[in-house]
Amino acid sequence: MGVPAVWAQNQPRNQAQRPPQNNARQSNQQGSTTQANPLFKPKEPKVQDRRTPAEIMLENKRWTLYRAFWQNLATRYNYYFHARTKLDRVVRSVNRQGQDNYNVLLPFYPFTAKNQNTSKSELDSVIEKASTGIQLHDPRGKWIPDCYVLMGRAYFYEGDFENANKTFQYTNLAFAPKSKQEYKTVVGATENDQISVSSKENTKGVLAPFRHKRARNDAFLWRARTLLELKDYDEVQALLNVLSNDPKFPKRLEGSLAEVKAYSNYIQGRYHETISPLQVAIDKSRDRVAKARMSFILGQLYALENQPDSAIDQFRGVIRQRPDPMMDFQARVQIARLNATREGGNPQESIDALRHMLKKQKFEPYRDGILYTMGSISYPKDPEAALGYMQKSLKVPSENRVQRTITYKGIADIYYDQRNYAEAKKYYDSTAGTMTPDFVDYALVNTRKNVLGDVAARVALIRREDSLQRIATMPESDRNIFLAKMAATIRQEAADKKKNEKKNKGADSENYTAGSTLQNNGPGAFSPQGDSNGDWYFYNVATKSAGYSEFRRRWGNRQLADNWRRSQTGAANIAAGNNGAPMLNAPTAEDAKPAVPADSMSAEVLAAGLPLTPEQLRASRSKCEDAWFDLGKLYYDKLDNAPLAIETYDSLLLLYPAHPRKAEVLYSLYVWNGKQNRTDVANRYKNQVLNEYGQTNFADIIRFGGLKDIDAGKKKAIREAYDSAYTAFRNGNYAGAIAMRAMVDSVYGLNYLQPKFDLLQAMITVKTDTSFATDTVNRSEAAVQYVMNKYAADSAIFSQAQSLMAALKQRKELYNYLVALEVKKNADGTPLVDEDVTMRYPWQNPQPVFADKVNTAKVKTDSIQVAAGLTGNKPAPVNVIAPPKPVTPYKIDANNPFFVVLSFDRVSKELMDEGLSQFTRYNATKHPSDKIEVGSFVLTPNDIMLIFRIFPNEDKALAYFDEIRDAASNNIIPRIRPTDYSFFVISRDNFILLNSTKDLAGYRKFFADNYVTE
């Protein structure tokens, strides 16, 4: 319906011009779908300004003098001052507190926050404070760059060098001088033909020292230090070169620039180039502590450069600067050492000066260091006196862990030089127990600690067997007289020992003072025990008590005995013969007898252990031969001592010219002398190997340069040829395998798989030799012996050949085993159990026990056919009655090789395969040098295992057992529930028995009864 015209004309003009409202009302009356406009227009949402206050002020605020004054004042005292104060406090709190090793070059700076576990929260607080000041205040303020430098320094001390570098780099770029004409940052300008990157500072006038310094210039030097920590030496050198020639670089930082130059050369090992800038840094430094430290380092560098007079002057300068007591003491110690070692010096005067220091009270905290220094000055002229001083140093109560570590190592080194490896190992053990990972000789100490036990055992064996052989070869009358005198000496020493014990009874050996130790210069003072009880190792009573409590908490009250991890009750049950088989190598009644008391020693008792028969003498000589051979390898491979290894093998050839491994000894001497540049001697041994042992692998290596092939295509072809030959061998096609081997020999000659080809040839010979069941020497043994002789140094090939030979030595047992062997196969003809996962050769299975009903005639009929393996006919079945399971077939033998076994219960193949790969990766990461192999093993269809092999003895297997059991559920196989698997250790002999009996539950009970696992 339309609006009446009269009404519309009578409306005011301003109302008549609101058609939307009228139309809306009209539309509502007509029921139109058009929506009415709201009465009030909604308020549009306000866009939030997310910029920082600093950005807003930069855009909206003019930079006036008034504003500059208040902004700079607030930034400096509300934020910069507090952040800098906290950072300085943190830096002072992370100093080494006298724990530096002053016997080597000191670290350039006395602290490293990253290594000292500085509170990250404190440094984060510095970063937060400086960052807040930057965000809340005008970025045109002069204290903003200082806040950025504080942030970068905090990152630096946290060890976050990437962020520190970015912060300093941003400071250098963002606050660089700007060209007023073009409003652009000038990063590098040319002034008087010189590149300038620094910000010019006003140094004129009386107020110059009080004016604000440009923090951007400091950021250059801090960035250089950061880049040094990142080992970006080239960029640091370029930056330092530019700053050195920059005409605008402020003079106030010349000392800091020289310090960074010296630090750069120092950490790169360019010590001669460090001296000049370090002198400049010392002259211009205003920090008394830093100046004293740099002076000490400069003295060390002069000593390293063989300038003792300059070094002594520097150390005297350190004393004049009145540093901390530790550095003052160490400077005096260095002066004493230099006076003793320089030309014309008198060691005794230095020792007297140090003895005088012992009497001064201010040096009382450093008496352990003084005594150690007296010992180091006395060595090597007087080793006994040196050991005496160092032993007394250990007895001085001290909190200086570094000095105790150095003293332990000093004693160990003296014993090592004297080749007293048993005592050296003890002190290297002590060194390892006190040193930290940043100790300068950390790797050396650990290596010697681990190796010297083996070295000491072989040296002791050689000395013992040599003595026994020498006594045994005496005429009987002379031998009896000699043994009688020895027995009398032993009885006399025992009597003297008892007398001394009674005399010293009640004395408190741990109650001593430094003065009393100095007066005790008797032989006992120089012994490692240091007291009558022999407790030289455990001086710290608190450590002993804590360790004893922890041991009792975990393992209970244990008797002091070898192999303590075995359950005492279980061992007792076995020893008592509780219906079980006797232990391997079980002690006999003679062994169980108590040792003869020293006061009852006689010549007859001493004669009982002599090798008087030819067999005993040969066995004794064989032990010595093996020990000499092992010593040479240990010296060269483990201790990296080529001269001592050469000396050892030269002695071996002199003592045992017919050594069974002479070819390897000669070859080793050829290689070692060559590396020592003793060409004439090396050529002599080379010719001896070629002339006397031309058919060995060592001669082949000399002729052809080793078993290496550079051509990748050639290596692939050889690998494929070997795979084809081995496949033919596995399929019984021995002629094809021989032909393939002959082809490789004719085409490639000596190749990198030559050892495997030779072993394969021996295996083919064993398979095709039908005379192996006879008692005569056959060609199988000759073929295997050839491989053993040729590859005596290749442990993998030699061990496999040795296993073959061991089987051939038991020809009749192998013969009977093969006769009775019936291989079970699946429907498709494949073996029921893949022999690759058994990890054992078929002939290493235990021999089955036959009943009396076995048809021996039938055995003889099929024996040759079965043993030769030349036909595919299945032998006639043999009625074999399975033997009854023994009650307790398992035995304890700590020296037998051991496996660690992971036995699964109700675990899918997918999870088991995942576990195999995870454990393989774990061993490669945690035990790269131990070469622990992991393989799957199917004991029964329901008993699937992972085998970790092979550990040389019980202790190492148990150590790995403890480690892997704790890590399995958390890190290695978290997807498998701990209730679905179990770990145990098992010896090789017991594993063979387990594979024979399939009695897994029986072995688990044996393990639980005889080993302590918690």
Side-chain angles (χ1 to χ4, degrees):
M1 182 179 294
V3 179
V6 177
W7 185 84
Q9 292 176 359
N10 294 334
Q11 298 301 315
R13 181 178 299 274
N14 57 349
Q15 295 182 5
Q17 296 183 4
R18 289 188 291 181
Q21 298 179 9
N22 295 334
N23 292 340
R25 186 180 301 110
Q26 182 179 1
S27 300
N28 291 335
Q29 294 174 358
Q30 295 176 356
S32 173
T33 57
T34 305
Q35 298 293 328
N37 289 337
L39 296 177
F40 300 99
K41 186 177 181 180
K43 185 177 181 180
E44 296 182 1
K46 184 178 181 180
V47 178
Q48 184 178 2
D49 191 349
R50 294 182 177 273
R51 294 178 298 171
T52 62
E55 294 175 306
I56 297 174
M57 284 186 285
L58 181 64
E59 181 177 341
N60 301 329
K61 302 289 185 179
R62 293 181 57 195
W63 187 246
T64 62
L65 290 177
Y66 178 82
R67 181 169 184 77
F69 174 78
W70 287 110
Q71 285 291 314
N72 288 330
L73 187 68
T75 306
R76 179 180 182 181
Y77 291 107
N78 286 352
Y79 295 96
Y80 172 77
F81 174 79
H82 294 291
R84 188 193 64 183
T85 302
K86 178 171 287 190
L87 181 62
D88 292 342
R89 184 172 65 249
V90 171
V91 172
R92 285 194 301 269
S93 68
V94 298
N95 58 42
R96 294 178 179 268
Q97 299 179 348
Q99 295 299 312
D100 279 314
N101 183 358
Y102 286 86
N103 295 282
V104 296
L105 291 175
L106 287 183
F108 198 88
Y109 292 104
F111 55 80
T112 164
K114 183 178 180 181
N115 293 339
Q116 294 294 325
N117 297 322
T118 306
S119 174
K120 189 175 184 299
S121 61
E122 291 289 321
L123 293 173
D124 286 342
S125 175
V126 173
I127 296 172
E128 181 180 359
K129 196 76 173 176
S131 177
T132 304
I134 292 170
Q135 296 179 48
L136 295 182
H137 296 92
D138 199 304
R140 291 166 289 191
K142 62 183 179 181
W143 290 97
I144 298 299
D146 297 75
C147 291
Y148 275 110
V149 173
L150 276 181
M151 287 176 59
R153 290 178 61 194
Y155 281 128
F156 179 87
Y157 289 121
E158 275 189 353
D160 189 355
F161 301 120
E162 293 292 342
N163 277 329
N165 180 42
K166 291 177 182 178
T167 304
F168 294 132
Q169 190 174 28
Y170 174 80
T171 306
N172 296 145
L173 294 176
F175 302 99
K178 293 179 174 58
S179 173
K180 294 183 179 179
Q181 292 78 11
E182 301 179 358
Y183 295 98
K184 292 183 179 179
T185 300
V186 181
V187 178
T190 303
E191 183 175 322
N192 299 329
D193 297 329
Q194 291 180 315
I195 297 178
S196 176
V197 297
S198 305
S199 296
K200 188 174 182 179
E201 296 181 359
N202 188 357
T203 58
K204 297 180 181 179
V206 180
L207 298 178
F210 304 99
R211 292 193 182 100
H212 176 261
K213 308 300 187 295
R214 297 294 182 91
R216 177 174 175 269
N217 296 325
D218 299 81
F220 281 117
L221 298 179
W222 276 104
R223 181 165 183 253
R225 283 188 59 179
T226 306
L227 292 173
L228 286 174
E229 299 298 333
L230 293 171
K231 296 181 172 53
D232 195 350
Y233 302 125
D234 293 337
E235 187 170 353
V236 171
Q237 190 60 46
L239 178 59
L240 295 179
N241 289 339
V242 171
L243 295 178
S244 299
N245 299 309
D246 191 340
K248 294 183 180 179
F249 191 75
K251 290 186 177 180
R252 68 179 178 87
L253 294 178
E254 287 181 351
S256 299
L257 178 62
E259 179 182 327
V260 175
K261 287 182 178 178
Y263 180 50
S264 175
N265 293 325
Y266 191 73
I267 64 175
Q268 295 181 66
R270 302 201 298 260
Y271 299 127
H272 181 75
E273 301 172 30
T274 305
I275 293 177
S276 179
L278 191 57
Q279 290 173 331
V280 176
I282 293 171
D283 293 338
K284 294 184 176 292
S285 176
R286 296 182 179 179
D287 187 337
R288 183 176 62 85
V289 176
K291 187 172 184 177
R293 188 178 189 86
M294 289 189 290
S295 299
F296 194 97
I297 292 174
L298 184 57
Q300 290 182 313
L301 294 179
Y302 278 131
L304 194 65
E305 293 288 318
N306 199 21
Q307 301 179 37
D309 294 335
S310 299
I312 290 175
D313 290 340
Q314 284 297 323
F315 289 126
R316 287 173 177 165
V318 172
I319 297 173
R320 287 194 296 270
Q321 293 169 25
R322 296 186 178 182
D324 62 86
M326 171 59 79
M327 185 169 288
D328 180 277
F329 158 70
Q330 292 292 346
R332 297 174 190 274
V333 166
Q334 296 296 333
I335 292 173
R337 284 180 173 171
L338 291 169
N339 280 327
T341 55
R342 67 176 175 175
E343 185 177 357
N346 189 342
Q348 189 57 44
E349 291 182 0
S350 297
I351 292 176
D352 292 340
L354 291 169
R355 185 176 285 110
H356 182 69
M357 290 174 62
L358 282 172
K359 300 177 182 179
K360 293 187 176 181
Q361 187 174 2
K362 71 175 183 177
F363 296 120
E364 184 174 356
Y366 312 114
R367 285 176 175 170
D368 56 341
I370 296 174
L371 289 166
Y372 168 78
T373 306
M374 294 169 69
S376 63
I377 292 175
S378 301
Y379 187 77
K381 185 178 180 180
D382 191 351
E384 292 301 320
L387 287 172
Y389 288 127
M390 291 184 184
Q391 293 286 359
K392 294 171 184 176
S393 172
L394 291 177
K395 294 181 179 181
V396 175
S398 174
E399 298 297 329
N400 192 336
R401 182 178 179 182
V402 172
Q403 181 58 60
R404 181 166 289 271
T405 302
I406 294 170
T407 305
Y408 276 133
K409 184 180 179 296
I411 298 175
D413 288 342
I414 293 176
Y415 281 127
Y416 181 82
D417 292 341
Q418 294 177 340
R419 302 187 184 180
N420 187 349
Y421 298 122
E423 294 298 326
K425 182 185 181 337
K426 293 179 183 178
Y427 283 94
Y428 281 126
D429 285 339
S430 300
T431 307
T434 57
M435 69 180 179
T436 56
D438 60 349
F439 186 65
V440 64
D441 291 320
Y442 183 84
L444 175 68
V445 170
N446 279 326
T447 299
R448 292 185 177 179
K449 173 180 76 75
N450 295 329
V451 176
L452 285 183
D454 296 334
V455 173
R458 284 160 177 81
V459 171
L461 184 147
I462 290 171
R463 290 176 178 173
R464 182 179 67 251
E465 296 300 328
D466 282 347
S467 300
L468 295 177
Q469 292 171 26
R470 187 171 60 254
I471 298 172
T473 54
M474 289 181 178
E476 185 176 359
S477 58
D478 295 344
R479 182 171 65 241
N480 293 335
I481 295 173
F482 178 83
L483 294 177
K485 290 182 179 179
M486 180 181 292
T489 303
I490 294 174
R491 291 194 299 270
Q492 184 62 41
E493 290 177 352
D496 294 340
K497 182 178 180 181
K498 284 186 177 181
K499 186 182 299 183
N500 292 332
E501 288 177 353
K502 290 181 180 180
K503 183 178 180 180
N504 297 328
K505 188 176 181 180
D508 187 5
S509 61
E510 294 184 357
N511 229 351
Y512 53 82
T513 61
S516 63
T517 57
L518 283 174
Q519 296 173 1
N520 183 14
N521 292 325
F526 297 158
S527 64
Q529 283 79 10
D531 59 26
S532 59
N533 296 328
D535 296 331
W536 70 273
Y537 188 89
F538 303 98
Y539 287 114
N540 193 326
V541 178
T543 302
K544 288 193 296 182
S545 177
Y548 180 66
S549 299
E550 174 62 20
F551 183 89
R552 288 186 60 187
R553 181 193 67 77
R554 181 172 183 183
W555 302 107
N557 290 321
R558 309 293 299 169
Q559 295 180 0
L560 182 60
D562 294 335
N563 304 312
W564 58 270
R565 285 288 296 272
R566 296 195 197 127
S567 173
Q568 294 171 358
T569 56
N573 290 337
I574 292 180
N578 187 12
N579 296 328
M583 292 187 297
L584 293 178
N585 300 326
T588 63
E590 290 294 324
D591 296 327
K593 290 181 180 179
V596 177
D599 54 3
S600 302
M601 188 61 64
S602 64
E604 291 75 12
V605 173
L606 294 175
L610 295 177
L612 298 177
T613 65
E615 293 78 11
Q616 292 174 339
L617 190 59
R618 280 194 298 270
S620 178
R621 289 176 60 87
S622 178
K623 291 179 182 178
C624 291
E625 289 176 347
D626 293 341
W628 277 104
F629 181 84
D630 293 341
L631 273 179
K633 292 292 185 184
L634 289 171
Y635 288 143
Y636 188 83
D637 296 337
K638 301 295 185 181
L639 297 178
D640 197 22
N641 193 335
L644 188 54
I646 293 172
E647 177 187 334
T648 302
Y649 272 8
D650 284 337
S651 301
L652 183 151
L653 292 177
L654 182 64
L655 294 172
Y656 305 100
H659 193 280
R661 304 181 71 173
K662 185 176 180 180
E664 185 175 355
V665 172
L666 293 172
Y667 175 78
S668 299
L669 287 171
Y670 154 66
V671 174
W672 298 346
N673 282 286
K675 291 184 178 180
Q676 296 293 311
N677 296 321
R678 302 172 63 184
T679 308
D680 295 339
V681 180
N683 288 334
R684 176 162 57 85
Y685 286 117
K686 170 186 174 181
N687 294 331
Q688 194 171 354
V689 173
L690 294 175
N691 295 333
E692 298 181 14
Y693 301 94
Q695 299 301 318
T696 62
N697 184 49
F698 305 106
D700 289 344
I701 294 174
I702 293 175
R703 291 191 193 99
F704 302 103
L707 304 178
K708 297 179 182 178
D709 294 280
I710 301 175
D711 188 355
K714 180 181 177 182
K715 293 182 70 173
K716 182 179 179 181
I718 295 172
R719 165 59 65 183
E720 291 175 351
Y722 176 78
D723 292 341
S724 299
Y726 186 74
T727 302
F729 168 77
R730 289 286 300 271
N731 294 334
N733 184 9
Y734 306 125
I738 293 174
M740 184 63 66
R741 189 264 166 84
M743 182 276 293
V744 171
D745 288 344
S746 62
V747 175
Y748 302 106
L750 184 71
N751 59 83
Y752 80 108
L753 289 180
Q754 192 69 37
K756 290 191 175 183
F757 274 112
D758 288 344
L759 179 62
L760 180 62
Q761 181 69 53
M763 294 168 66
I764 294 172
T765 302
V766 172
K767 278 288 189 180
T768 58
D769 184 13
T770 59
S771 63
F772 75 96
T774 65
D775 292 332
T776 59
V777 177
N778 50 69
R779 59 191 184 96
S780 297
E781 293 187 9
V784 176
Q785 187 63 50
Y786 170 78
V787 175
M788 293 175 64
N789 294 338
K790 187 173 183 179
Y791 299 104
D794 191 330
S795 59
I797 299 297
F798 183 82
S799 63
Q800 294 183 58
Q802 196 174 32
S803 299
L804 274 171
M805 182 61 75
L808 291 174
K809 292 295 184 182
Q810 300 177 354
R811 292 183 296 275
K812 292 184 178 180
E813 289 81 357
L814 178 63
Y815 171 82
N816 294 330
Y817 174 79
L818 290 175
V819 170
L821 182 64
E822 182 178 356
V823 180
K824 297 181 180 180
K825 296 187 177 182
N826 294 322
D828 57 357
T830 58
L832 183 62
V833 179
D834 183 4
E835 62 179 321
D836 289 336
V837 301
T838 62
M839 302 201 308
R840 291 188 298 104
Y841 293 104
W843 51 82
Q844 288 178 315
N845 287 328
Q847 180 183 347
V849 179
F850 302 103
D852 296 335
K853 299 180 181 180
V854 175
N855 190 336
T856 56
K858 185 178 293 186
V859 170
K860 293 181 180 180
T861 302
D862 298 334
S863 61
I864 294 180
Q865 184 180 21
V866 174
L870 298 176
T871 65
N873 298 329
K874 181 177 178 180
V878 179
N879 296 324
V880 179
I881 299 177
K885 295 180 181 179
V887 178
T888 309
Y890 308 111
K891 311 171 184 66
I892 289 180
D893 184 1
N895 296 320
N896 200 270
F898 270 74
F899 306 110
V900 176
V901 178
L902 170 57
S903 176
F904 291 105
D905 295 329
R906 301 181 303 278
V907 174
S908 66
K909 186 178 185 302
E910 177 186 358
L911 289 178
M912 190 189 73
D913 292 341
E914 178 184 340
L916 177 62
S917 62
Q918 292 295 335
F919 279 113
T920 302
R921 187 178 298 111
Y922 175 86
N923 290 330
T925 304
K926 299 293 186 180
H927 300 275
S929 60
D930 295 336
K931 298 180 180 179
I932 300 174
E933 298 180 8
V934 188
S936 58
F937 184 84
V938 181
L939 182 66
T940 68
N942 295 325
D943 296 319
I944 313 298
M945 305 174 177
L946 291 183
I947 311 296
F948 303 82
R949 65 166 189 172
I950 189 169
F951 301 90
N953 54 49
E954 182 182 66
D955 291 337
K956 292 189 177 181
L958 285 168
Y960 184 78
F961 166 83
D962 288 337
E963 173 190 339
I964 206 74
R965 184 184 54 173
D966 296 337
S969 59
N970 297 327
N971 302 325
I972 305 177
I973 49 174
R975 294 181 58 193
I976 306 177
R977 295 178 300 179
T979 56
D980 290 343
Y981 62 85
S982 61
F983 285 95
F984 58 84
V985 298
I986 184 170
S987 67
R988 182 180 59 191
D989 293 341
N990 284 339
F991 187 80
I992 294 173
L993 287 172
L994 175 63
N995 189 33
S996 174
T997 63
K998 311 298 183 185
D999 184 18
L1000 182 58
Y1003 183 78
R1004 282 176 173 168
K1005 183 178 185 304
F1006 170 83
F1007 180 73
D1009 291 341
N1010 293 280
Y1011 291 91
V1012 178
T1013 58
E1014 285 296 344

